[in-house]
Structure formats: structure tokens, C-alpha cells
Amino acid sequence: HENEKMGPAGALSLLPEPPKAPILVMNGDVLTNPSFRSLFLYHNDQKSTLTIAATEYQIEIPYGVLETQGARITGISEKPSQRFLCNAGIYVLSPEALEIMPDKIPCDMPDLVNIALEKSHSVCVFPMHEYWADVGNARDLERAEQEIRQLENSDEGFLGGAPSPRYWSRRVYRKPSRRTIARRRRQSKSIRFL
């Protein structure tokens, strides 16, 4: 029970007992259907103190973008798009993450991430490919409801659907091959982290 706003991370300092295994922390204004099993397997495989699920966000620029050096144009890109990995509001925290957290004072998750990084703990990203929506306001909630109805009527379903075993098998984390790791490294160079 909070007497004052503690923030998502700070509230964890009020747990009656520290966890003995990694725990899931998720924002309440997120609607998604990830494989939490895959997320935990990934967290453990990476030997991470804190893992942040990330969703890709793409910005389409409707104009040609000029590349310049002083007054000279050095290039032009016609209607480019930029991709970013953004915090999805879903975290896995190892018990060590709670040990480094300030005791019983307000603390948001970005604060805890920064503390972990300052103390040289392993903080990893888990790219999500499943449905994700921020439903923090009425307009976003209405849009998400429409998208969910469409997904429920599709072959893959959503939370209330009955997806095929093949659908779920694609969402179980498997340790990637060396070739996959190399490909992901090349791809990650083209993605900016916020």
C-alpha cells in the first residue's frame, strides 16, 4: 500500500519479501499479447539484471529530406522513414535489480534503468513483434478496441482467440544461431534507441 506516489519501480521497495526469482513489471495502460515465457527465457539467457521489452515505432516523413553541409546540399532522400525501438512498458527484473533500488522513495523505471547502468549491471532489450498498444487515453483505447476486433477475426486471433499451435511455436524464444546473431547486429545498427 502506497501512502505517496512511489512510481512503478519505487513501489517494488514495498514488497513484504524480496523475490527469489525474476519478476514481471508491466505498465497498466498497455494492451499486448507477448509470449511472457519467451521474455523470461530471453532474460535468463542474457544473464540480465533488467530486461526491457521494446516495440518498434516508425515515423514516415512525407517530404524529401535534404542533407546539407553549410549552404550546400550533399544529398536528398525522398519521403524517408525512421525506425526506433521504444520502451513497451514491460520489464523483467532479477532480484539484483531490487537490491540496487533506492529504499522506499519514489522511483520510476527509467531511474532504475539508469541506476543499473551506472552500477555496470546488464540491461537488455527484448524486441517484441506481437501486438502492442498504449491505451492511456480514450482515443487510443477506442483505436485498440477496433484493432483487437480485427485481430480476433483473423487466423491468428488475440487474447480471446484460439490460435493454432504453429502461431504459438513462433513466439517461443529459442537461442539464436550465430548467423541470426550476426544478422540482428547488422539490423540493430539501422535502429535508433530512444
Side-chain angles (χ1 to χ4, degrees):
H1 174 289
E2 291 179 330
N3 291 327
E4 62 176 295
K5 277 187 158 183
M6 298 293 289
L12 296 173
S13 69
L14 302 175
L15 290 171
E17 294 179 21
K20 293 176 177 50
I23 62 170
L24 178 75
V25 177
M26 187 169 159
N27 292 358
D29 60 353
V30 169
L31 182 60
T32 187
N33 68 339
S35 167
F36 293 116
R37 179 177 185 269
S38 295
L39 176 57
F40 275 92
L41 287 171
Y42 181 85
H43 174 82
N44 291 332
D45 186 55
Q46 298 298 315
K47 297 175 178 52
S48 182
T49 300
L50 196 153
T51 299
I52 303 172
T55 186
E56 187 176 281
Y57 187 78
Q58 188 166 334
I59 298 172
E60 303 288 333
I61 300 172
Y63 311 106
V65 174
L66 301 175
E67 299 164 23
T68 62
Q69 191 172 37
R72 298 192 185 274
I73 292 177
T74 59
I76 185 169
S77 300
E78 187 60 29
K79 299 182 181 178
S81 63
Q82 292 185 333
R83 298 181 317 164
F84 301 92
L85 274 181
C86 298
N87 182 350
I90 303 169
Y91 312 85
V92 176
L93 283 69
S94 290
E96 300 81 31
L98 299 180
E99 292 171 7
I100 63 170
M101 188 170 39
D103 195 31
K104 297 182 179 155
I105 63 169
C107 182
D108 288 323
M109 291 306 289
D111 300 327
L112 181 57
V113 169
N114 288 326
I115 291 168
L117 292 171
E118 287 169 9
K119 295 184 180 254
S120 300
H121 284 265
S122 174
V123 178
C124 294
V125 62
F126 177 79
M128 286 180 39
H129 305 287
E130 294 85 2
Y131 179 82
W132 180 91
D134 179 340
V135 292
N137 63 52
R139 186 168 25 126
D140 290 341
L141 180 59
E142 287 172 12
R143 180 182 46 77
E145 286 174 343
Q146 290 173 353
E147 291 171 354
I148 296 301
R149 274 191 230 103
Q150 290 172 348
L151 283 171
E152 285 179 334
N153 294 327
S154 73
D155 290 339
E156 292 188 350
F158 187 69
L159 296 175
S164 69
R166 190 173 64 97
Y167 170 81
W168 289 114
S169 68
R170 287 181 293 174
R171 277 141 178 84
V172 175
Y173 174 73
R174 290 175 181 82
K175 190 169 184 172
S177 67
R178 288 183 180 165
R179 182 191 295 177
T180 301
I181 291 169
R183 180 178 45 79
R184 286 180 182 168
R185 283 187 182 137
R186 287 191 305 274
Q187 288 174 337
S188 70
K189 290 178 182 174
S190 67
I191 298 175
R192 292 174 137 166
F193 291 84
L194 294 181

